[in-house]
Amino acid sequence: MNHNLLIRYLTDESADNEQYEVERWLEADPEHRKLLEELELIWRTSGMNLEAVENDFDAEVDWKALRYRIEIEVNREKKKMKPDKVGKEYRQSGFAKRADFAQFMRVAAVMLIAAFAGIFAWLNFHVVGSEEELVMREIVMDKGQRANLVLSDGTNVNLNADSKISMPEVFQQDKREVFLLEGEAYFEVAGDPDWPFLIHSGGAVIRVLGTSFAVRAYPEDEMVRVVVNEGTVSLASGHDKSIGANLTAGQLGLFHIKNDTVISKEVEDMEQFLSWIDGYLIFKETSMKEVALQQERRYNVEVDFGKPSIEELFLTATLKGRSVTNVLNVIAASLEIDYYQTDRQTIVFTDHDEKAPTEFDRH
Amino acid sequence: MNILNKNNRHASEPYLILEICNGNEKAYEELYFEYYYQLCRFAESITKCSELARDIVQEVFLNIWVKRKSWEVKHSLKAYLYQAVRNQALNMVEQQGARHGLSVRLKEEFDMQSKATAEEGDDPASKLPGLINQIWELVEEMPDQRKMVFVLHRKHGLSYLEISEVMGIARKTVENHMGKVFQELREKLDTRVYL
């Protein structure tokens, strides 16, 4: 029996007379049927879908981007043509909605930023503010995402997961202003004494001339935290500049949002605050509650505790793994606890003695 | 417009193509949403990068619209699209070094979680997840052409004829590749455990 023929039979690619031939062969010997069953299993299984959800692909977003690009192409063609022809082509193309074009451009720009590099890079060339007012651009990091931005002045910004930053397309003459709406970012500000760099975050204002430091303002923190690696940074309340402190290298500043206070202190080890930039998670006597929170951000998973007492444990560990499984194993080994996954995205920490529910898969 | 025939193809494909040639945006939009995900996945299997995959699919569709007046699909629309994506992917992978120097560069990190979890397998009720992963792990190691034939057939549902069109090889060659994949898989897997 020709192997290829058998496969063709299996995949429905064989002609009628060929099918007949195969069926006769199958009947000739039970072993033949066994062989087919093996192949059929492989064939069937390979067609099963275990792919992760299409996280990376968003048809709606890309469709809007495509329409925008088509618009650009249509306009480009327009310019090459004579005026009377232009009018006709333009009106014929349904994509051209003159009245909404400017608005669409801006909306498209904001939406696309969070999308993907190619179009984004291209877009940057073309969406130049021809208007007088400041065109703001927002960049959003979901859970599990991080990014590095280089701004037009040379400042480098590292954005952590679950963060949102907003800045003008073009910086103003007298100051460089960005808005860390929520989340965490590490700034390496290009030095320029005549051009101050201001970061607005959680009601605080951080003012820099040239230096490197991290700002953290997750909504659940209720605080804005600044950690300075190099240089000097001033951390002040947004509406009362007298409430503030100057932070130098190796110092940490906290702005308490509700109380409107700023405190500062020395920090022995910068590493734990900045490890996320390289993708590490460093914990020093950190409560499991906090560990869980950071894991959720970093890996976009949900972490629960089978036993509430585990939440109270403290973890000291350096987690370098990009694989969640590795990280979980390290944590489990360090604290002598166990864990299991209930589904693709949920992890539960539990005790050694406790058995995972039988209907779930045990790792 | 959503009538599927036995091969899971739109019965009205010729109609769709004709409409797009005439500039019907609704038809174009329908085509886009119909094929977007599978083409992105296919592009990603070549580029190993989801952003690039999206760019590729974008380019393919952009070209379709821009050149719609002379758009011609010889046999299967699906084969046409996959072929276009494949060609675009192979081109872009080469060009990847050349990017415009811009004032803002965005470099994103992948969500490794989804890839890590996919390796674990998460169907608790059956032993098949192990087999699925084994199969694809083995396929991953196979030579490019053979791998692509299998992927196009099993993951994207293309027929031998369509595959031969997409890849520009003879139908017999497609057959041979498929044969070799099954042979290797059968040799290396312990299927008896699962039967």
Side-chain angles (χ1 to χ4, degrees), chain A residues 41-48, chain B residues 135-136 150 154-155 182:
Chain A
L41 177 67
I42 294 173
W43 182 76
R44 207 180 357 116
T45 315
S46 61
M48 285 168 77
Chain B
I135 289 177
W136 289 105
F150 192 70
R154 289 320 278 138
K155 280 213 167 131
F182 271 93

Side-chain angles (χ1 to χ4, degrees), chain A residues 3-4 8 13 35 38 43 46 54 56 58 62 69 94 116 118 121 145-146 148-150 324, chain B residues 25 32 36 41 54-55 58-59 102-103 105-106 108-109 113 120 154 160 171 175-176 179 186:
Chain A
H3 183 70
N4 283 356
R8 276 210 315 277
E13 289 271 347
L35 171 57
E38 277 181 52
W43 182 76
S46 61
E54 291 110 349
D56 300 328
D58 188 332
D62 284 7
R69 271 201 80 180
F116 49 92
Q145 281 186 312
R146 288 183 295 117
N148 191 62
L149 322 171
V150 178
V324 185
Chain B
E25 288 143 38
Y32 186 85
Y36 173 82
R41 282 207 306 274
R54 289 164 87 171
D55 285 355
Q58 208 75 324
E59 283 304 312
L102 294 164
S103 56
R105 285 174 280 127
L106 194 70
E108 266 192 45
E109 172 146 308
Q113 160 60 358
E120 307 298 321
R154 289 320 278 138
Y160 282 10
R171 195 175 174 284
E175 243 189 75
N176 290 339
R186 197 175 148 258

Side-chain angles (χ1 to χ4, degrees), chain B residues 7 11 18 27 34 67 100 138 148 179 187:
Chain B
N7 292 328
L18 187 63
E34 176 67 26
K67 298 180 187 155
H100 300 290
L138 286 169
M148 191 177 278
E187 277 165 25

Side-chain angles (χ1 to χ4, degrees), chain A residues 25-59:
Chain A
W25 175 81
L26 287 173
E27 274 157 36
D29 188 341
E31 282 300 310
H32 293 176
R33 190 149 276 281
K34 262 200 197 157
L35 171 57
L36 183 72
E37 271 174 32
E38 277 181 52
L39 293 171
E40 208 254 334
L41 177 67
I42 294 173
W43 182 76
R44 207 180 357 116
T45 315
S46 61
M48 285 168 77
N49 219 354
L50 246 196
E51 297 279 304
V53 189
E54 291 110 349
N55 286 331
D56 300 328
F57 304 124
D58 188 332

Side-chain angles (χ1 to χ4, degrees), chain A residues 125-193:
Chain A
F125 244 135
H126 291 81
V127 182
V128 173
S130 51
E131 294 121 74
E132 302 302 296
E133 67 207 50
L134 222 52
V135 179
M136 296 299 279
R137 178 207 295 176
E138 195 177 272
I139 294 159
V140 179
M141 289 293 118
D142 287 328
K143 285 196 160 81
Q145 281 186 312
R146 288 183 295 117
N148 191 62
L149 322 171
V150 178
L151 309 185
S152 52
D153 66 333
T155 295
N156 198 72
V157 183
N158 237 292
L159 264 186
N160 203 353
D162 223 5
S163 303
K164 219 187 274 190
I165 194 170
S166 173
M167 65 188 88
E169 274 287 337
V170 178
F171 284 130
Q172 289 174 289
Q173 299 276 15
D174 57 338
K175 56 186 168 171
R176 299 171 276 175
E177 237 174 345
V178 308
F179 298 80
L180 181 64
L181 304 170
E182 65 179 72
E184 185 165 24
Y186 182 73
F187 296 85
E188 282 160 304
V189 176
D192 190 338

Side-chain angles (χ1 to χ4, degrees), chain A residues 3-4 7-8 10-13 35 38-39 41-48 50-52 54-63 65-66 69-70 73 94-95 113 115-121 124-125 137 144-152 298-301 322 324-325 341 344 359 361 363, chain B residues 6 25 28-29 32-33 36-37 40-41 44 50-51 53-55 58-59 61-62 65-66 69 99-100 102-114 117-118 120-122 124 128-129 131-133 135-136 150 153-155 159-160 171-172 175-176 178-179 182-183 185-186 189 191 194-195:
Chain A
H3 183 70
N4 283 356
I7 307 291
R8 276 210 315 277
L10 194 59
T11 61
D12 218 14
E13 289 271 347
L35 171 57
E38 277 181 52
L39 293 171
L41 177 67
I42 294 173
W43 182 76
R44 207 180 357 116
T45 315
S46 61
M48 285 168 77
L50 246 196
E51 297 279 304
E54 291 110 349
N55 286 331
D56 300 328
F57 304 124
D58 188 332
E60 289 292 333
V61 170
D62 284 7
W63 171 246
L66 178 60
R69 271 201 80 180
I70 287 174
E73 285 300 316
F95 284 117
I113 298 310
F116 49 92
I119 293 287
F120 174 73
N124 195 47
F125 244 135
R137 178 207 295 176
Q145 281 186 312
R146 288 183 295 117
N148 191 62
L149 322 171
V150 178
L151 309 185
S152 52
R298 173 79 177 83
Y299 299 107
N300 196 16
V301 290
R322 285 181 116 196
V324 185
T325 316
Q341 254 176 286
R344 208 192 298 270
E359 64 268 26
D361 208 30
H363 290 264
Chain B
K6 153 175 116 87
E25 288 143 38
Y28 179 65
E29 185 174 336
Y32 186 85
F33 280 95
Y36 173 82
Y37 282 112
C40 279
R41 282 207 306 274
E44 192 185 35
S50 62
E51 286 154 36
R54 289 164 87 171
D55 285 355
Q58 208 75 324
E59 283 304 312
F61 274 98
L62 184 66
W65 182 258
V66 166
K69 295 203 176 102
R99 291 233 167 175
H100 300 290
L102 294 164
S103 56
V104 177
R105 285 174 280 127
L106 194 70
K107 178 183 81 186
E108 266 192 45
E109 172 146 308
F110 283 43
D111 183 5
M112 294 302 284
Q113 160 60 358
S114 59
T117 329
E120 307 298 321
D122 55 5
L128 284 178
L131 184 60
I132 299 180
N133 291 324
I135 289 177
W136 289 105
F150 192 70
H153 188 76
R154 289 320 278 138
K155 280 213 167 131
S159 68
Y160 282 10
R171 195 175 174 284
K172 196 80 179 79
E175 243 189 75
N176 290 339
M178 282 294 283
F182 271 93
Q183 197 159 26
L185 288 177
R186 197 175 148 258
L189 294 169
T191 49
Y194 300 90
L195 279 170

